[in-house]
Amino acid sequence: MPTNPAAPETEPEPSGTRPTSPSSDVPAVSLPGVPAPAAELARAAAGRAAGALAGPAPVRLGDVVPAPEQVLPDPAGHFTLSADAVLQVSAAGRDVAEQLAGWLRPATGFPLPVADTAEGGPLTLTLSPADAAVPSGAVATAASGPVDHARLGDEGYRLDVTAGGVRITAVTPAGLFRGAQTLRQLLPAPIESPTVTAARWAVPGGTIVDRPRFAYRGAMLDVARHFFPVEDVLRVVDHLARYKLNHLHLHLTDDQGWRIAVDSWPRLAEVGGATEVGGGTGGWYTRDDYRRIVAYAARRHVTVVPEIDLPGHTNAALVAYPELAPGKVAPPPYTGTEVGFSFVDPADERTYAFVADVVGEVAALTPGPWLHLGGDEAFKVPADSYRTFVERAQRLVAATGKTVVGWHQLAPAEHVDGRVLQWWGTNGDDPETADAVRRGARLILSPGNHAYLDMKYAPDTPIGNDWAGLIDVRRAYEWDPATHVRGVPAEAVLGVEAPLWTETVTSRAEIEFMLFPRLPAIAELGWSPRETHDWPRFRSRLAAQGPRWTIAGITFHPSPKIPWPPTTSTQIPTQPTPHTTPTP
Ligand code: TNX
């Protein structure tokens, strides 16, 4: 189980090397467009006086993961949250304000009411039209000089911290939400405490203007090898949202279990869902469970991508419906970890009725635009039958109105509108994938040797696989999605995804142990401008996250490469590792 230590009373001491940000030495500038009514000026004066007595805020404005696009600190302008603070928000941003208040109330003990008004208060969330969101003029960026008329887009935001208050401005509620996550990280680490904690709730002064590098930033959870209850999935969504990831890919079906109820083929879940790796009882999500996950994710501006893995990885479906098997004989249930032996019969029309029914029901339950068809490791299906099958399956998905996503083995199939391939190779080189991109496919990058969160960190990591090598946090961070696959131009890269396969992962604590600290590394590759990419600086910013995870009760791998502050502690899972090695 995750540790849940008592929250420390004060902000932890920084480690020997003070965290730095790419832009922490950029001089402060005054920014146009920030209203200064009398009450705000009075608050600012009071804030400055209190700040002068109390000293600087413990967190620095650039100490955010993922690194923001532009950071302009104003050391004179820090703000301290007080017990009488009110969150002001216009109606469309209300839900984000409620969530922000929900993060801040437990540790502060402040009531933090949310008021429906766009008037400036100490904490204001503003939704503005695109062209008003970022004032023109010299907003300097540490990396690339002045930026004029930057557009915040679908997920960007601007955060202004003055002694008088904090204002988050965005064009969409998603942008406000990303900005609210930044504000959360700018408060001292004890803000993560689930119980009331005495601390000075100071936010460093200045301005952040921020937006993502890639539109698609995701993680995958394999709920098929081991089943995880809804609550665990919701917690994973929270982890994604914290680091501004916006997609949760659920690997819902595999040889060891079928995890989603399908009304037209009820035995898929009832029979196919009753097994998992190692012989446990498995489980599956009812339609309402799945709706709950999707809705919870949507509120956090995370889109669920369901995967029905076809034509291979289907042993659980064949156990439930032997008519789908090539020999029409049910195989025994499978609870091992080999891959590539099972497949649905590509020569039987009944198989296509099954595919149409399943993708139809899953599409109807899924508000997001994507449906993942799998397509990996169908080793027993001859190349031409494989291609015929996936081309038909792609068309069945397109007929539901969803956009097809598939592992890069789908590459040889014909293009369908919008098709997205997910790269999981380890050598960055595959002419078929490059060719599919030339024919119109876009790519999600999940290189097995950098982004696979089921790989061990080090030889002695108690759980995990190692077929793609060991992946410590530095290896997870040191690559560039835009140039990773030969022959695939940056414009064809939709984004990044970090998959967590769960052959060896059996609990919430083990999920977290494999996610942290690598998930924030992948999140930064997806969000931050390439100019901010810098291992020493990332390492320092990441170190400052450790006490937050400790206080929030999040289990993580205490990588020896990271200068964790002394208040960081975690409980490491100790499960032995029964697994075999799949081949890519
Ligand atoms: C390969 S990646 C697989 C999965 C395994 C994983 C283990 C991919 C598309 N297929 O079936 O779980 O390796 O690392």
Side-chain angles (χ1 to χ4, degrees):
M1 287 300 292
T3 51
N4 203 355
E9 291 285 301
T10 53
E11 167 67 1
E13 285 298 310
S15 60
T17 50
R18 191 78 179 101
T20 56
S21 81
S23 46
S24 55
D25 44 10
V26 172
V29 294
S30 72
L31 290 149
V34 181
E40 197 171 320
L41 288 174
R43 257 200 321 273
R48 269 194 301 276
L53 291 174
V59 180
R60 299 203 308 185
L61 194 68
D63 287 350
V64 175
V65 178
E69 186 176 290
Q70 302 171 13
V71 180
L72 294 107
D74 175 7
H78 72 254
F79 168 73
T80 302
L81 188 66
S82 56
D84 59 357
V86 175
L87 275 80
Q88 315 273 5
V89 68
S90 55
R94 181 166 189 116
D95 189 55
V96 175
E98 291 288 2
Q99 293 185 74
L100 173 59
W103 302 330
L104 307 186
R105 284 178 191 134
T108 61
F110 301 163
L112 300 175
V114 176
D116 266 329
T117 156
E119 293 294 301
L123 278 176
T124 307
L125 275 57
T126 311
L127 278 172
S128 301
D131 53 2
V134 179
S136 61
V139 177
T141 135
S144 53
V147 171
D148 286 333
H149 299 285
R151 290 284 189 273
L152 296 183
D154 287 348
E155 292 185 272
Y157 65 92
R158 171 181 167 134
L159 176 82
D160 292 290
V161 183
T162 65
V166 176
R167 175 187 296 271
I168 305 173
T169 311
V171 185
T172 62
L176 281 186
F177 185 84
R178 308 290 177 234
Q181 290 285 7
T182 294
L183 173 58
R184 190 183 185 188
Q185 287 191 28
L186 292 175
L187 283 153
I191 198 66
E192 297 295 340
S193 170
T195 54
V196 176
T197 303
R200 186 168 68 95
W201 302 113
V203 185
T207 291
I208 289 177
V209 184
D210 199 11
R211 60 184 170 177
R213 180 181 184 200
F214 292 108
Y216 188 107
R217 306 174 308 281
M220 188 205 80
L221 183 64
D222 169 10
V223 295
R225 269 47 178 276
H226 281 98
F227 178 71
F228 299 95
V230 171
E231 302 300 330
D232 292 355
V233 180
L234 304 187
R235 187 160 159 114
V236 168
V237 170
D238 287 334
H239 299 332
L240 267 53
R242 208 180 251 281
Y243 294 103
K244 302 188 174 75
L245 294 164
N246 63 359
H247 287 84
L248 173 66
H249 168 184
L250 286 176
H251 182 76
L252 289 168
T253 68
D254 214 302
D255 292 319
Q256 299 86 347
W258 184 285
R259 308 298 180 203
I260 179 83
V262 177
D263 283 355
S264 51
W265 296 71
R267 289 170 55 84
L268 288 171
E270 286 163 12
V271 175
T275 45
E276 64 180 5
V277 167
T281 52
W284 72 91
Y285 304 122
T286 64
R287 296 162 73 86
D288 281 346
D289 289 339
Y290 181 76
R291 284 193 191 100
R292 200 175 145 214
I293 293 169
V294 163
Y296 187 92
R299 200 176 166 217
R300 286 148 188 84
H301 303 280
V302 170
T303 301
V304 170
V305 182
E307 179 185 351
I308 305 297
D309 201 349
L310 295 166
H313 289 272
T314 39
N315 199 77
L318 306 183
V319 174
Y321 290 101
E323 67 198 87
L324 299 172
K328 311 301 166 199
V329 176
Y334 186 68
T335 59
T337 59
E338 296 292 346
V339 297
F341 56 90
S342 62
F343 62 101
V344 291
D345 186 355
D348 192 329
E349 279 307 304
R350 190 79 182 122
T351 296
Y352 298 92
F354 155 79
V355 174
D357 290 343
V358 170
V359 300
E361 286 196 33
V362 172
L365 281 176
T366 302
W370 316 108
L371 205 150
H372 200 304
L373 260 184
D376 58 316
E377 297 174 321
F379 299 143
K380 297 278 175 68
V381 185
D384 48 344
S385 331
Y386 172 85
R387 188 175 159 165
T388 310
F389 173 86
V390 295
E391 287 181 348
R392 253 181 104 170
Q394 288 188 154
R395 287 195 295 273
L396 290 170
V397 169
T400 70
K402 299 297 181 192
T403 300
V404 174
V405 189
W407 299 107
H408 74 264
Q409 279 70 28
L410 239 49
E414 70 184 359
H415 184 67
V416 286
D417 216 19
R419 184 166 89 125
V420 175
L421 301 178
Q422 184 167 4
W423 172 263
W424 63 283
T426 54
N427 66 356
D429 190 3
D430 177 39
E432 286 188 329
T433 298
D435 181 58
V437 167
R438 275 190 293 277
R439 290 184 285 119
R442 288 170 297 167
L443 213 58
I444 293 170
L445 272 294
S446 304
N449 53 339
H450 291 283
Y452 262 35
L453 301 186
D454 60 314
M455 293 302 131
K456 292 177 178 231
Y457 292 93
D460 63 349
T461 305
I463 53 173
N465 297 322
D466 59 11
W467 65 263
L470 302 170
I471 303 183
D472 63 14
V473 60
R474 183 165 189 175
R475 188 164 184 78
Y477 180 74
E478 294 282 25
W479 59 287
D480 182 359
T483 56
H484 189 75
V485 180
R486 185 193 296 261
V488 173
E491 309 79 71
V493 174
L494 196 58
V496 292
E497 186 179 293
L500 179 58
W501 301 100
T502 60
E503 288 94 335
T504 70
V505 177
T506 64
S507 67
R508 177 194 286 200
E510 290 177 358
I511 291 174
E512 291 178 345
F513 181 74
M514 299 309 264
L515 253 43
F516 293 96
R518 293 178 293 195
L519 184 73
I522 304 292
E524 177 141 329
L525 295 182
W527 178 278
S528 306
R530 190 63 188 171
E531 299 79 45
T532 64
H533 193 263
D534 180 293
W535 168 251
R537 284 173 168 154
F538 174 67
R539 183 172 170 266
S540 299
R541 282 183 289 109
L542 190 64
Q545 300 291 304
R548 291 172 192 272
W549 301 335
T550 301
I551 296 167
I554 298 172
T555 303
F556 64 99
H557 168 66
S559 165
K561 298 216 162 138
I562 304 298
W564 306 109
T567 46
T568 310
S569 72
T570 192
Q571 194 176 325
I572 302 166
T574 53
Q575 194 207 264
T577 62
H579 73 279
T580 54
T581 304
T583 30

